């Protein structure tokens, strides 16, 4: 008879061989906007865990918007609920940095060496920097584009092959589409939720939010006035109703709106929701100043929060994977965002000939040279500032205030929310 110690030792060896090893590190990941990102996150995490069996990814409850996401993270700082990584709207990275919540990725990048070899050029890295500090890695980046119903454009006398190039032409054609009747509206412009689409008009006119020293509001200058006048003209002449964000999306997908203007990130969902109901097309968004006009970079960056050194190493692996060429090859076709990794954009192993096979995605790609950072307001009132701008834009859309009244009111309120030196 074998001694009991030999039997136990043999059993232990057998178990070690037959029982799979448990993940050594579990990372909790938070992300916003599940309508855009759930399938993308599931695909990326599954592939990552296949390649890194010692790391397990679990997801915290996602937030509906970028604004809700940042507020959730700030509430969880210092508690056991705070995730190890999060995906933060690019315009809220400054808030994370000012509170010293995020891990500085600079040392990790320095240790890695040449990030360009992994597709992270200096230009791409700068999208997730705050005053030169690497707060995250850009994950999903977008710019605003024109979506249009080619059937309605044609019915109203327009040429679907040559969509409007100026806002005046958009508004004129939108009015003609509205005049078709049968419950059809001319334009949906996604002004709700945040200041991004207002930025598209403001930056497109060559304007900016604040002065260079960030002590004074400048969005109510001549460029801002032109921007808000466009919104007012859409409402008065172009057939822009007082839609909620979801109502606008649903109406367009149902074939009841001629033009809609919003992020490239909504493209995949729009294609799916439209189906075969009408001929969907996309095009560049007009610029009020074709020479000096620029467009805000929407989207988010993956940010490491955990201060645990072992988890940081695993989190860095996941961040690079998610924002790397494989992640980009999932994000672009899965959403409509533009590629934020140069290897993904160039390599046949990833996106390759994707754009030739999917021409609706070309509009956003063609505008990448115009992309500038989504402006992040200084201080602790960033979310309040954004809401103030949105609230005043709603007064323009429902025509309860003139563009100048709404813009001046917004500027006065925002001025009082800026930090004082």
């Amino acid at each position: 008879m074998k001694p009991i110690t030999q039997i136990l030792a043999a059993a232990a060896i057998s178990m070690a061989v037959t029982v799979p090893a448990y993940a050594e590190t579990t990372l909790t990941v938070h992300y916003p906007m599940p309508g855009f990102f759930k399938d993308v996150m599931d695909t990326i995490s599954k592939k990552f865990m296949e390649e890194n069996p010692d790391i397990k990814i679990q997801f915290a409850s996602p937030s509906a918007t970028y604004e809700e996401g940042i507020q959730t993270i700030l509430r969880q700082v210092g508690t056991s609920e705070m995730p190890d990584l999060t995906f933060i709207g690019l315009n809220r990275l400054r808030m994370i940095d000012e509170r010293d919540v995020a891990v500085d990725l600079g040392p990790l990048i320095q240790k890695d060496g040449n990030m360009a070899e992994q597709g992270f050029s200096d230009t791409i890295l700068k999208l997730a920097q705050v005053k030169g500090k690497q707060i995250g890695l850009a994950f999903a980046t977008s710019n605003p584009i024109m979506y249009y119903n080619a059937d309605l454009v044609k019915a109203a006398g327009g040429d679907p092959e040559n969509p409007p190039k100026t806002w005046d032409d958009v508004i004129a054609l939108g009015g003609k589409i509205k005049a078709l009747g049968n419950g059809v509206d001319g334009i949906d412009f996604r002004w709700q939720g945040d200041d991004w689409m207002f930025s598209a008009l403001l930056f497109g006119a060559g304007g900016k939010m604040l002065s260079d020293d960030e002590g004074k509001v400048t969005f109510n200058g001549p460029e801002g006035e032109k921007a808000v006048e466009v919104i007012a003209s859409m409402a008065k002449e172009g057939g822009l109703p007082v839609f909620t964000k979801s109502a606008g999306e649903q109406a367009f997908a149902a074939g009841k709106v001629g033009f809609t203007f919003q992020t490239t990130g909504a493209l995949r969902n729009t294609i799916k929701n439209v189906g075969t109901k009408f001929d969907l097309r996309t095009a560049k968004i007009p610029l009020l100043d074709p020479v000096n006009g620029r467009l805000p970079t929407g989207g988010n960056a993956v940010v490491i929060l955990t201060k645990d050194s072992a988890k940081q190493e695993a989190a860095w692996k996941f961040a690079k994977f998610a924002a790397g060429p494989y992640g980009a090859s999932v994000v672009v076709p899965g959403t409509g965002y533009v590629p934020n990794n140069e290897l993904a954009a160039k390599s046949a192993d990833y996106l390759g000939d994707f754009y030739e096979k999917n021409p609706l995605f070309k509009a956003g790609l063609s505008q990448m040279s115009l992309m500038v950072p989504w402006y992040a307001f200084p201080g602790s009132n960033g979310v309040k500032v954004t809401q103030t701008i949105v609230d005043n834009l709603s007064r323009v859309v429902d025509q309860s205030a003139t563009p100048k009244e709404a813009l001046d009111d917004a500027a006065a309120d925002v001025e009082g929310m800026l930090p004082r030196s």
Side-chain angles (χ1 to χ4, degrees):
M1 183 179 292
K2 292 183 179 179
I4 188 65
T5 52
Q6 290 182 347
I7 294 173
L8 292 174
I13 292 171
S14 176
M15 289 179 67
V17 171
T18 59
V19 177
Y22 289 99
E24 294 178 6
T25 304
T26 297
L27 297 174
T28 301
V29 178
H30 165 268
Y31 65 90
M33 297 163 53
F36 283 4
F37 294 116
K38 184 183 185 304
D39 291 346
V40 165
M41 291 295 181
D42 288 346
T43 301
I44 290 173
S45 63
K46 180 181 178 182
K47 180 70 170 177
F48 176 79
M49 287 187 287
E50 287 174 359
E51 296 188 7
N52 298 273
D54 59 331
I55 303 173
K56 179 183 176 183
I57 303 297
Q58 64 180 20
F59 291 110
S61 296
S63 300
T65 65
Y66 289 141
E67 310 307 315
E68 288 183 22
I70 183 65
Q71 293 185 68
T72 295
I73 294 302
L74 293 179
R75 283 196 304 270
Q76 294 175 344
V77 172
T79 73
S80 60
E81 294 181 314
M82 189 174 78
D84 300 306
L85 300 99
T86 185
F87 289 76
I88 295 289
L90 294 175
N91 69 324
R92 298 303 177 211
L93 294 176
R94 185 170 184 167
M95 291 180 69
I96 287 287
D97 178 55
E98 289 176 347
R99 288 159 180 77
D100 197 27
V101 175
V103 172
D104 181 0
L105 301 186
L108 294 170
I109 288 174
Q110 191 171 21
K111 182 179 177 181
D112 253 33
N114 191 349
M115 291 290 285
E117 292 179 353
Q118 301 176 57
F120 298 101
S121 66
D122 286 343
T123 300
I124 288 170
L125 288 175
K126 285 177 181 177
L127 289 174
Q129 290 178 0
V130 176
K131 296 181 179 178
K133 181 180 177 182
Q134 198 73 45
I135 304 301
L137 294 177
F139 170 70
T141 51
S142 65
N143 55 62
I145 62 171
M146 172 197 296
Y147 299 72
Y148 63 102
N149 181 325
D151 298 342
L152 290 178
V153 166
K154 187 175 182 179
D159 180 2
E161 303 302 324
N162 293 287
K165 303 294 192 298
T166 69
W167 283 113
D168 285 345
D169 290 343
V170 167
I171 292 164
L173 188 50
K176 292 178 181 178
I177 291 172
K178 173 72 173 178
L180 293 173
N182 196 30
V184 169
D185 288 299
I187 301 171
D188 175 39
F189 186 84
R190 208 221 74 180
W191 54 270
Q192 317 91 333
D194 54 48
D195 57 36
W196 194 60
M197 287 302 294
F198 171 65
S199 297
L201 292 173
L202 177 68
F203 296 174
K208 54 187 180 180
M209 289 290 192
L210 301 183
S211 59
D212 290 342
D213 64 3
E214 298 190 317
K216 184 174 176 55
V217 168
T218 56
F219 65 69
N220 62 334
E223 299 86 0
E225 289 181 7
K226 291 177 183 177
V228 181
E229 285 286 355
V230 166
I231 297 176
S233 295
M234 288 183 196
K236 291 178 182 178
E237 305 158 27
L240 170 68
V242 186
F243 276 142
T244 62
K245 179 178 181 293
S246 60
E249 291 170 350
Q250 291 168 16
F252 181 77
K256 293 296 185 179
V257 178
F259 296 94
T260 189
F261 296 88
Q262 65 159 319
T263 172
T264 56
L267 181 52
R268 176 56 67 190
N269 280 347
T270 303
I271 293 171
K272 177 183 176 182
N273 293 335
V274 168
T276 59
K277 289 192 286 290
F278 61 84
D279 182 4
L280 172 66
R281 307 279 186 96
T282 62
K284 295 180 180 180
I285 192 171
L287 299 175
L288 284 165
D289 184 338
V291 176
N292 299 309
R294 296 293 181 267
L295 295 172
T297 303
N300 62 65
V302 55
V303 175
I304 298 176
L305 302 175
T306 180
K307 298 299 193 288
D308 180 282
S309 57
K311 281 193 170 186
Q312 278 186 12
E313 184 176 346
W316 179 232
K317 281 186 179 180
F318 180 72
K320 289 189 295 179
F321 187 83
Y326 177 79
S329 73
V330 175
V331 170
V332 172
T335 58
Y337 284 85
V338 295
N340 64 319
N341 184 280
E342 292 191 351
L343 286 184
K346 297 174 181 177
S347 173
D349 293 335
Y350 298 105
L351 292 174
D353 59 357
F354 171 79
Y355 288 97
E356 290 306 313
K357 293 181 178 179
N358 298 273
L360 291 178
F361 289 74
K362 286 185 177 181
L365 186 71
S366 69
Q367 296 180 152
M368 287 187 70
S369 63
L370 299 173
M371 291 166 64
V372 296
W374 185 0
Y375 185 72
F377 287 92
S380 60
N381 290 320
V383 175
K384 290 181 180 178
V385 166
T386 294
Q387 192 58 49
T388 297
I389 293 172
V390 170
D391 288 345
N392 280 285
L393 291 179
S394 73
R395 298 168 63 205
V396 176
V397 175
D398 68 20
Q399 300 181 52
S400 63
T402 67
K404 182 167 176 52
E405 287 171 345
L407 197 61
D408 286 346
D409 287 348
D413 288 344
V414 170
E415 195 93 38
M417 297 180 196
L418 297 178
R420 300 301 173 199
S421 56

